[in-house]
Amino acid sequence: MGLPADEWKSYLLQKWASLPKSIQLTISTAETLSDIFLHSSSLLQPEDELFLKRLSKGYLVGKDSDAPLFYREQGNKKFQEKDYTGAAVLYSKGVSHSRPNTEDMSLCYANRSAALFHLGQYETCIKDISRAQTHGYPERLQPKIMLRRAECLVALGRLQEASQTVGDLERNFTATPTLADVPLQTLQRNLHHLKMKVQEKENPTETFPATLAKTLEDVALRGENERLSNASSSVGLCIDPLKGRYLVATKDILPGELLVKEDAFVSVLNPGELPPPHHGLDSQWDTRVTNGDLYCHRCLKHTLATVPCDGCSYAKYCSQECLQQAWELYHRTECPLGGLLLTLGVFCHIALRLTLVVGVEDVRKIMKKLCVKISNKDICLPESDNQVKTLNYGRGESEKNGNMVETPIPGCDANGKYDSNYDAVFNLLPHTENHSPEHKFLCALCVSVLCRQLEAAGLQAIPRVNSSQLTAAVTPESCPDVTIWGVAMLRHMLQLQCNAQAITTVQHTGSKGSIVTDSRQVRLATGIFPVISLLNHSCSPNTSVSFISTVATIRASQRIGKGQEILHCYGPHKSRMGVAERQQKLRSQYFFDCTCPACQTEAHRMASGPRWKAFCCNSCRAPMQGDGVLRCGNRSCAESVVSRDHLVSRLQNLQQQVGVAQKLLRDGELERAVQLLSGCQRDAESFLWAEHAMVGEIADGLARACAALGDWQKSATHLQKSLRVVEVRHGPSSVEMGHELFKLAQIFFNGFAVPEALSAIQKAEEVLSLHCGPWDDEIQELQKMKSCLLDLPPTLVRSSV
């Protein structure tokens, strides 16, 4: 995910393989990051940069003057199909390719405002109308968007402004006959009726920044931690010679308690897994929807009304404020490097952004502070934490001349406080000694290319320096900044393999005709969080992480006793993969062998593996056991042996059929989907354990299909079967269980089974509250459903769907 594009990665690995053994040995045995960087960068040749330049050009990140018309026409087709969300995204792509103060930009903004109006996003629609006017919307078309603005104001209850807009329309109507009489009269009539019902005052919907600020204030930590920023007073920082720094509970912690609330020091939006646009597309302009089209590239707010960078078509923001802040912090340097950064990968991009946000002067200071020696461009960076013999909160102790003395924990200041700052980021371990020589070579050359690009630009765009210095170009001839910058970026790139945090979001989907939603967790961005990076891994953690914009929140998912370690999952969770696969992934990416209780317990389990992956006997339904050849676990059963490969092949065929059924479900072919899923269910019951993950997936699909058909009773029956599988696999208090209970509440609610719905709502709220705050979409929807049901007259309340 974070590494370079496959073509560039393969090219560099081939280059490494072709190097003389003596050069490979020099890089492999280099003791410092500066040696690795300088030796590797000296091998970068012009032909390497030309190859990379050709790859980078495949990403269309510049502005194309012909693209706005294309996207506007494609958006119009979606609009006519009443796919207003799809239309808005395509109009946004047109906006991104438009130059400021042009008719192209104004028309794309105006068309997008129409799509937003039909989606009920009236505040955002008004903003787009203002943007269209700012960028030169044609005078002949002004009455059309003024009328739309008035309709938005009426819908928002802002009647005084609506009246003023209608008055302006009436005064200009004679001079602008393009506005028809009927729409104007209709608007005036609607306005008159609303005036009778609504007090004449403004009541605008809160914009995102205000709403977010209020939300973040509501997510409060329990007490101020004087030793550890962004953590509650229930959390303490310790250090150990074997496992390094880690967090513990300083008091008993209850499930759901908020332990850490930390904003990403730096984050970069993940572009997604899509190939560059030049690979096999019918058009040179890409109509696919990616994260970059739906989320602000700075604050990660979801939006259909992005504001583009004036210099490129890739960077998009939720507001002019976010655009300006991003420009001042880092984007003025990144803007001309868009295609290059997409080719070099997210980790290289984060490494650059870290140094841009901090500034080369502060990077130099922190390197000097951490015993960095600069002599003839030789930079020696510390490779590991100070080793201490005992632990304490905020400080460690080490032995000197037979006496125990306090040793500051790496990343802490002179007072022993650990802040979420660049000092803490810099002290995250790069694990240089654990990375393979070819990986270090690859990272060093990626950073070298970036440094050469910045060097060619004279480093004029380095942010975060004094305003008096902004006009003076800083050149590599005047100071070793390029080398300092390169070594710092290489350190960060190596750090990220073990310390990068996936910033995720829950995306909700649903089949056509169904109001019961499905959800999936998707990786939205990659960030670096100095405090969260202190958490050690467990395959069965006692915490859960969720995100509000770029802010991560860590909550206790179970009771944590005083003195117990607070643990986080790095990805390989016991509910998602077996112990062998988890161990392999943790060893290859994080360089350690996991000895958590889940791994130790699972290693002694029965040969059939976890229940959610188990096959069962066709005769007696007992689990099958063995490796290559499986036998029934019930000794009294006469069932003959069966090949594991045969059952795996059956499972693969079943998965293909379920995939076809799910596509039918998405396309609204509900009866065919139910028929196919019912057949899959019968087949699954003949060879899969009752709690196999595929059994739950089929039941979930049947539940959604029946809900879309309005058969709420069958839907609830199927979903309850899926719930049992989810509980076995993920646990009764898991976030996955919360999502399934949310769907069950929706089914009971829509089936008007009030007691069952209220019970499911309560259970779903209890589980989701362990993982998310009150701002969570599902929790808010549950509260709305509960309020609606409690307001019903007693005579309407009934049980059972």
Side-chain angles (χ1 to χ4, degrees):
M1 174 67 74
L3 293 177
D6 289 340
E7 297 96 326
W8 179 238
K9 181 180 177 182
S10 298
Y11 179 90
L12 291 182
L13 292 178
Q14 289 175 10
K15 183 178 178 72
W16 168 262
S18 67
L19 292 175
K21 296 297 182 183
S22 59
I23 296 179
Q24 288 187 357
L25 182 62
T26 298
I27 295 174
S28 301
T29 56
E31 295 183 355
T32 66
L33 286 174
S34 75
D35 288 339
I36 296 170
F37 174 72
L38 293 172
H39 284 308
S40 300
S41 61
S42 68
L43 300 172
L44 186 64
Q45 300 299 315
E47 57 266 28
D48 303 331
E49 295 184 81
L50 284 174
F51 180 80
L52 180 58
K53 187 176 182 180
R54 286 196 298 271
L55 288 179
S56 301
K57 284 184 176 179
Y59 293 95
L60 303 181
V61 296
K63 292 186 182 290
D64 188 330
S65 60
D66 295 325
L69 176 60
F70 168 80
Y71 284 122
R72 203 162 68 245
E73 290 174 344
Q74 295 299 310
N76 290 343
K77 291 178 183 178
K78 292 286 186 182
F79 191 92
Q80 290 165 3
E81 296 168 0
K82 300 188 184 304
D83 180 3
Y84 301 118
T85 299
V89 171
L90 289 167
Y91 292 141
S92 293
K93 288 178 178 285
V95 169
S96 296
H97 278 278
S98 301
R99 293 288 178 186
N101 303 314
T102 61
E103 185 171 298
D104 276 336
M105 178 166 276
S106 69
L107 290 174
C108 287
Y109 272 134
N111 284 17
R112 192 172 73 184
S113 75
L116 295 169
F117 176 81
H118 284 280
L119 290 169
Q121 297 188 22
Y122 302 119
E123 286 283 2
T124 312
C125 175
I126 291 173
K127 290 179 181 179
D128 262 7
I129 290 170
S130 298
R131 289 167 182 148
Q133 292 172 323
T134 299
H135 289 281
Y137 193 65
E139 189 66 30
R140 68 185 187 280
L141 300 176
Q142 286 285 344
K144 183 166 63 173
I145 59 172
M146 289 177 69
L147 179 62
R148 187 176 302 141
R149 174 183 168 84
E151 290 177 302
C152 287
L153 292 169
V154 169
L156 291 168
R158 292 159 59 175
L159 302 181
Q160 186 173 357
E161 293 174 81
S163 299
Q164 183 176 345
T165 302
V166 171
D168 293 339
L169 277 168
E170 290 173 329
R171 284 188 293 273
N172 296 331
F173 183 68
T174 304
T176 313
T178 53
L179 184 62
D181 289 337
V182 174
L184 182 60
Q185 292 173 354
T186 302
L187 177 63
Q188 289 173 321
R189 185 167 56 253
N190 291 341
L191 183 61
H192 173 74
H193 291 316
L194 282 170
K195 284 181 178 179
M196 300 292 292
K197 298 178 181 180
V198 185
Q199 292 183 356
E200 194 166 321
K201 64 178 182 178
E202 291 188 12
N203 185 26
T205 304
E206 281 189 301
T207 58
F208 173 74
T211 305
L212 179 62
K214 183 178 179 182
T215 298
L216 294 178
E217 287 173 3
D218 291 340
V219 183
L221 290 166
R222 178 183 169 185
E224 182 180 356
N225 194 316
E226 297 180 355
R227 293 283 190 175
L228 187 61
S229 68
N230 302 309
S232 80
S233 58
S234 303
V235 180
L237 171 61
C238 300
I239 189 167
D240 179 85
L242 296 179
K243 59 184 178 182
R245 297 168 296 180
Y246 63 101
L247 301 182
V248 297
T250 59
K251 59 187 73 171
D252 289 341
I253 295 172
L254 298 176
E257 184 177 333
L258 182 62
L259 305 178
V260 177
K261 184 181 75 173
E262 182 180 23
D263 198 356
F265 190 83
V266 156
S267 65
V268 169
L269 188 79
N270 283 353
E273 298 293 342
L274 295 174
H278 67 285
H279 287 305
L281 292 180
D282 295 333
S283 168
Q284 62 176 313
W285 299 302
D286 193 3
T287 58
R288 296 167 298 180
V289 180
T290 67
N291 286 343
D293 299 312
L294 300 174
Y295 295 89
C296 175
H297 286 219
R298 179 183 173 274
C299 74
L300 304 182
K301 173 200 171 185
H302 181 274
T303 179
L304 291 175
T306 53
V307 179
C309 168
D310 289 344
C312 68
S313 63
Y314 178 71
K316 308 175 186 75
Y317 304 94
C318 65
S319 64
Q320 190 67 31
E321 291 75 20
C322 265
L323 184 156
Q324 190 63 33
Q325 289 177 26
W327 181 261
E328 292 173 356
L329 284 170
Y330 50 80
H331 190 62
R332 61 176 174 178
T333 300
E334 296 178 358
C335 185
L337 304 175
L340 176 64
L341 291 171
L342 287 170
T343 308
L344 294 179
V346 170
F347 282 1
C348 195
H349 194 167
I350 292 176
L352 171 64
R353 188 168 290 183
L354 270 167
T355 56
L356 292 176
V357 167
V358 176
V360 70
E361 188 62 35
D362 286 342
V363 171
R364 185 194 296 113
K365 288 178 181 178
I366 199 72
M367 292 171 76
K368 287 182 178 179
K369 177 183 176 183
L370 294 172
C371 303
V372 178
K373 298 179 181 179
I374 302 178
S375 176
N376 297 321
K377 293 189 176 182
D378 184 25
I379 305 170
C380 307
L381 299 179
E383 299 299 333
S384 61
D385 284 340
N386 296 331
Q387 297 298 301
V388 297
K389 293 194 174 182
T390 60
L391 60 87
N392 202 342
Y393 301 139
R395 290 182 180 272
E397 295 178 347
S398 61
E399 189 172 350
K400 183 177 181 180
N401 299 326
N403 298 315
M404 300 303 296
V405 296
E406 282 193 339
T407 303
I409 292 178
C412 292
D413 61 20
N415 297 317
K417 182 174 182 180
Y418 187 94
D419 268 317
S420 185
N421 55 22
Y422 187 64
D423 193 348
V425 171
F426 202 89
N427 272 283
L428 298 174
L429 293 180
H431 292 283
T432 310
E433 68 283 0
N434 293 317
H435 291 287
S436 66
E438 54 267 37
H439 179 74
K440 288 181 280 192
F441 175 75
L442 181 151
C443 293
L445 279 192
C446 287
V447 169
S448 298
V449 170
L450 211 44
C451 285
R452 289 197 184 183
Q453 290 285 328
L454 296 165
E455 187 175 355
L459 297 180
Q460 292 178 349
I462 301 175
R464 309 295 288 172
V465 296
N466 294 333
S467 58
S468 60
Q469 298 175 308
L470 288 177
T471 56
V474 183
T475 63
E477 289 76 19
S478 62
C479 66
D481 283 345
V482 175
T483 304
I484 294 173
W485 210 355
V487 176
M489 283 196 287
L490 176 58
R491 179 181 178 87
H492 295 320
M493 201 169 175
L494 295 176
Q495 285 173 329
L496 286 165
Q497 178 165 320
C498 295
N499 293 287
Q501 171 67 51
I503 299 175
T504 60
T505 186
V506 176
Q507 290 185 348
H508 297 281
T509 59
S511 60
K512 292 182 179 179
S514 174
I515 56 174
V516 175
T517 60
D518 196 11
S519 61
R520 63 189 183 101
Q521 191 176 59
V522 296
R523 186 180 189 128
L524 176 59
T526 302
I528 191 158
F529 298 81
V531 174
I532 291 175
S533 291
L534 297 171
L535 290 165
N536 279 333
H537 167 81
S538 171
C539 298
S540 181
N542 50 23
T543 62
S544 181
V545 61
S546 60
F547 298 90
I548 315 169
S549 181
T550 56
V551 177
T553 59
I554 301 287
R555 281 182 165 76
S557 58
Q558 61 192 58
R559 185 186 179 279
I560 305 174
K562 180 179 179 180
Q564 187 178 346
E565 185 171 0
I566 300 170
L567 298 164
H568 178 45
C569 180
Y570 291 177
H573 196 284
K574 72 170 188 177
S575 67
R576 290 188 284 270
M577 58 187 74
V579 61
E581 185 181 1
R582 297 201 308 270
Q583 292 278 0
Q584 189 276 327
K585 286 184 176 291
L586 290 167
R587 193 177 298 116
S588 63
Q589 182 174 350
Y590 296 98
F591 312 119
F592 71 89
D593 293 311
C594 185
T595 58
C596 73
C599 286
Q600 293 176 335
T601 301
E602 193 173 325
H604 301 290
R605 280 183 179 172
M606 60 182 182
S608 60
R611 286 187 287 176
W612 49 272
K613 281 188 174 183
F615 298 108
C616 74
C617 174
N618 188 39
S619 297
C620 69
R621 312 297 300 154
M624 302 293 285
Q625 297 181 357
D627 294 322
V629 176
L630 301 180
R631 292 177 173 80
C632 178
N634 181 3
R635 294 184 178 180
S636 62
C637 180
E639 183 71 15
S640 60
V641 299
V642 62
S643 164
R644 178 180 290 276
D645 290 342
H646 172 69
L647 294 180
V648 169
S649 178
R650 286 188 65 182
L651 177 59
Q652 290 172 343
N653 292 333
L654 180 63
Q655 289 170 331
Q656 290 178 354
Q657 291 299 305
V658 172
V660 172
Q662 289 174 337
K663 185 178 186 305
L664 292 172
L665 186 57
R666 289 193 299 270
D667 293 341
E669 299 185 49
L670 305 176
E671 297 286 358
R672 291 182 60 195
V674 169
Q675 185 178 5
L676 184 53
L677 285 169
S678 298
C680 290
Q681 189 174 58
R682 288 190 294 272
D683 187 22
E685 289 170 351
S686 68
F687 74 104
L688 296 181
W689 185 248
E691 291 154 348
H692 194 284
M694 181 52 60
V695 173
E697 187 175 340
I698 294 169
D700 185 83
L702 281 167
R704 288 186 286 120
C706 291
L709 290 167
D711 193 338
W712 305 107
Q713 187 169 8
K714 282 187 178 179
S715 179
T717 300
H718 287 303
L719 193 64
Q720 286 167 331
K721 188 171 185 178
S722 172
L723 272 167
R724 288 193 292 273
V725 176
V726 171
E727 182 173 357
V728 166
R729 180 176 180 180
H730 298 284
S733 299
S734 63
V735 68
E736 291 84 0
M737 192 69 175
H739 295 321
E740 287 295 293
L741 286 167
F742 172 74
K743 284 192 283 187
L744 184 64
Q746 285 184 311
I747 290 169
F748 283 136
F749 179 85
N750 287 289
F752 208 51
V754 177
E756 292 88 345
L758 288 171
S759 175
I761 288 169
Q762 181 179 350
K763 291 177 182 177
E765 276 192 290
E766 289 174 354
V767 173
L768 289 173
S769 295
L770 299 178
H771 308 277
C772 315
W775 42 266
D776 179 71
D777 290 341
E778 289 185 347
I779 291 179
Q780 290 186 355
E781 182 64 25
L782 288 167
Q783 291 171 348
K784 290 177 183 177
M785 287 192 286
K786 180 167 64 175
S787 177
C788 179
L789 293 173
L790 293 176
D791 287 342
L792 289 174
T795 54
L796 294 180
V797 176
R798 67 180 179 86
S799 177
S800 179
V801 294

